[in-house]
Amino acid sequence: GLLIFAFFINVWMSGSGGSELKNYAVAVYNIDGTEVSQKLVDKIGPPYFKLDRMLYSDKEVDKVLTEGEISVVLIIPKDFSKNLADGRTAKLQLVMDGTRSNYTTTAMSYLETIIQMYSQEINPPEAGGPKVPSVEIQTMYWYNPNLEGSYRSGISELLIMITLLSVMLPASTMVQEKEIGTIEQLSVTPVSSYEIMLAKIIPMTTLILVCTVLSLYIVIIGILNTPIVGNIPFFLLVTVIHVFSSAGIGLTISTIARSMAETIMFSLIVVTPLLFLSGNITPIIAMNPVVQYLTYIFPLRWYIEISLAIIFKGAGPNDLIKQIIILLVLGLILFFYSASKFRDSLEKAK
């Protein structure tokens, strides 16, 4: 149930609920009430906006914003059409709920674009007029031309789930051995601590890889229509390295935790700072310089950097050799450190 939720339902929910605007509710208070102002109102519609309601008083504007029903209200003043007809600047007012800063800022940008396009329609530049020197900028968006937020959010959530479950699953299996009392039996078997570790890690790695492949093809590509331009087997190979290093963290947690509840708590305590320092939530370049250097020692930072480069940019091994070596070295350090801690816990069990 946890795997199904993490790799399918959670990834789909994150990808389908991106940060871009879709049917964002807007209210309009059209004091002008003329045909000219109504044409502007008619332009506020799908796919970005939904004209939720028309307001007819300042009290109603206050009410919808206070109650949180609407976070953006467009107010068209009384002399709007008259000012346009007289060649004067016609002013509009956008009243926005600042507590929803992310979405309202985006909505403001979209509405400003719609208003500018409307302004050009009703007042086009005169043909044959004198040429005015100008600077033209051409913007090109690589790898995600339409700036679809669902592409990044779906993949990011998948990478987070891979990391979280790579830590939790091996830890939970070992803690379960403790709870049912079979850890002592393992400690006296004629196998090394490394063999016991691999017996726990390999099945979990295989299970996570299978779920990753299914999530990629069913949710990421099938439902969210995210374009994968890179080599998927290469991505899975990098994922194996990351899962092994994360599983090492999980087995280290299992040497400390005494119950399943403690395992989950410790896993969240460890994974949460890893996520914040991975660059997935806040860009690394925007962090404090000291924190930026600190991110170098966390495998998740390199795994996310490699994965996004493979999936969206089509990067190959030659392009990512430095990052892969760092990820591999960090993974080996974590693996052997966890092996030593695990071996000590088995010695105590004896």
Side-chain angles (χ1 to χ4, degrees), residues 27 37 44 76 88 95 124 129 147 158 217 267 284 293 338 342:
S37 59
I44 301 172
I76 305 175
R88 295 196 297 266
V95 183
L147 300 180
L158 175 62
Y217 283 102
S267 298
I284 291 175
Y293 287 113
S338 62
F342 185 68

Side-chain angles (χ1 to χ4, degrees), residues 131-144:
K131 291 186 177 180
V132 180
S134 63
V135 177
E136 181 181 351
I137 183 169
Q138 293 183 343
T139 304
M140 298 176 65
Y141 296 104
W142 287 15
Y143 314 122
N144 185 6

Side-chain angles (χ1 to χ4, degrees), residues 28-42:
V28 175
Y29 179 22
N30 187 1
I31 306 173
D32 186 65
T34 63
E35 185 179 347
V36 174
S37 59
Q38 186 59 43
K39 286 182 179 178
L40 173 59
V41 175
D42 292 340

